[in-house]
Amino acid sequence: MEQNAYQIKNWIQKFQTLVALMLSSQTKDQITAEVMGRINSLGLTPFKFSKMSLKDIQNIIYPIGFYKVKSKYIYSTSNILLEKYDGDIPNNFKDLLELPGVGPKMALLAMKIAWNETVGIAVDTHVHRLSNRMGLVKSAKNPEQTRNQLESWLPKEYWSSINHLLVGFGQQICTPISPKCSQCLNTTLCPYFLENKPSR
């Protein structure tokens, strides 16, 4: 009985991990956390979401960014998970990508968080920007080009940590506008700083 309860808890956690990733896009972390707290307290599962109206789902996930579109993603994904995976989430990158609203970054993070498997580098806007700015990649035009270039030279043992490191750095120091170069320890190696540092 205990093992069965553990399996159910693990199954719900994996599903809610996927939902959290879907909701986090274009949404502040604090809002995502608040909404996920609501979802967790309600014990929402693919089965429960599949029985809800889109309006009910919207009311639960509001004020998530693009909540109307994401409510459709959650509803459709819940039904697919029930039909194809017995309510669990896919255990591979390819099948995760086929779920509505799930892109490469989300699928890779889901593989790492839910299945503890690192199969690629999750590239979001911060990783994409910093990789180009710091010369880690060469003129990558989109996150997938950045991912492919990073994976071509960065040892796999570092794939799971680079997202976490660069996201925090990009949020606090190497910001999109007016990066805080005076607080950065990488200035002697950074092409952006060397090209834009004030002349003496």
Side-chain angles (χ1 to χ4, degrees):
M1 186 70 177
E2 291 181 3
Q3 178 68 17
N4 192 38
Y6 170 80
Q7 290 175 338
I8 292 172
K9 181 179 179 181
N10 181 257
W11 164 69
I12 294 174
Q13 285 178 337
K14 285 186 291 183
F15 171 71
Q16 292 187 356
T17 292
L18 180 63
V19 171
L21 291 169
M22 295 169 72
L23 296 180
S24 67
S25 176
Q26 305 295 314
T27 304
K28 292 182 179 179
D29 292 344
Q30 181 180 353
I31 294 175
T32 302
E34 290 173 1
V35 171
M36 285 309 302
R38 196 181 308 151
I39 288 173
N40 185 266
S41 68
L42 293 171
L44 294 180
T45 64
F47 179 77
K48 290 180 180 179
F49 271 125
S50 73
K51 299 300 181 183
M52 299 173 80
S53 68
L54 290 179
K55 187 65 176 177
D56 286 339
I57 298 175
Q58 289 171 17
N59 289 337
I60 290 171
I61 69 173
Y62 182 83
I64 287 289
F66 302 98
Y67 70 96
K68 290 184 178 180
V69 174
K70 291 178 183 178
S71 67
K72 296 177 182 178
Y73 291 158
I74 292 172
Y75 178 80
S76 298
T77 292
S78 295
N79 281 283
I80 292 170
L81 296 181
L82 290 168
E83 292 169 7
K84 296 183 66 175
Y85 304 101
D86 294 324
D88 205 347
I89 71 170
N91 63 356
N92 64 84
F93 178 65
K94 179 178 175 293
D95 288 343
L96 282 165
L97 275 181
E98 293 180 358
L99 298 174
V102 177
K105 181 196 76 171
M106 292 182 203
L108 290 168
L109 288 173
M111 286 298 300
K112 176 59 182 174
I113 299 168
W115 295 106
N116 197 30
E117 289 188 27
T118 300
V119 296
I121 298 172
V123 177
D124 65 359
T125 182
H126 298 291
V127 177
H128 176 58
R129 182 181 74 255
L130 268 63
S131 295
N132 279 274
R133 184 179 281 176
M134 296 168 63
L136 302 178
V137 298
K138 296 181 179 179
S139 302
K141 292 181 173 57
N142 55 58
E144 274 300 277
Q145 288 185 10
T146 294
R147 179 170 77 90
N148 290 330
Q149 289 191 41
L150 286 174
E151 290 176 2
S152 73
W153 65 266
L154 187 68
K156 190 172 183 179
E157 62 196 271
Y158 300 114
W159 286 9
S160 64
S161 58
I162 188 171
N163 177 275
H164 178 71
L165 292 171
L166 291 186
V167 167
F169 183 56
Q171 290 174 334
Q172 302 296 322
I173 304 295
C174 200
T175 50
I177 301 173
S178 302
K180 302 176 180 68
C181 295
S182 62
Q183 300 177 33
C184 182
L185 302 177
N186 298 318
T187 51
T188 58
L189 302 172
C190 178
Y192 176 87
F193 176 79
L194 296 174
E195 291 173 9
N196 295 280
K197 67 179 179 179
S199 57
R200 294 182 179 178

